[in-house]
Amino acid sequence: MASATYLSNPEVVIGGVTLTDMCSAATLNHLVEALEDSVFGNLSRTYTGGLANNEVTLTFFASYAASETYASLSGLVGTKTTVTLQPSSDATSATNPLFTLTDCYLESLPVVNAALGTLSTYDITLVGGSYTVATS
């Protein structure tokens, strides 16, 4: 059985700033809402695609140093921005696609998230935006 796997080490860029070295988790969901179009006579429900409702969730280590996470993210709260994710920093290709959410919205930033004996992190979620995939 053939299989292809990769070691998770994505390239993360948000608002034009590369934050790969501060990001510990990334999940990008491409979702198109299901609209029911069932009619009389159908024996099961049927659906058609509605509006896209994309979402990217990122976990960053907290840093208040210049050009680090807080400085890069705090000005994006309440605005639309662009996020790109790529499985690795290698060249864009069919085996290393570049995923982009353009005009996604950042509603909030947890400016302090601390617990005794742990590294502080920010979990942020950007919603909406146009989803594209580049392979070259």
Side-chain angles (χ1 to χ4, degrees), residues 54-121:
N54 303 302
E55 177 180 283
V56 61
T57 302
L58 303 163
T59 300
F60 292 103
F61 288 108
S63 175
Y64 301 93
S67 74
E68 289 289 350
T69 50
Y70 180 77
S72 298
L73 299 173
S74 62
L76 298 177
V77 176
T79 68
K80 295 178 183 179
T81 192
T82 298
V83 175
T84 61
L85 295 171
Q86 197 165 17
S88 77
S89 59
D90 294 339
T92 300
S93 67
T95 58
N96 190 41
L98 177 65
F99 302 97
T100 302
L101 276 185
T102 305
D103 289 335
C104 52
Y105 182 76
L106 180 61
E107 182 177 23
S108 66
L109 174 67
V111 296
V112 175
N113 182 22
L116 182 64
T118 64
L119 294 173
S120 184
T121 60

Side-chain angles (χ1 to χ4, degrees), residues 24-40:
S24 64
T27 303
L28 172 61
N29 289 311
H30 175 52
L31 177 120
V32 177
E33 295 171 347
L35 301 176
E36 185 174 349
D37 63 357
S38 304
V39 297
F40 293 125

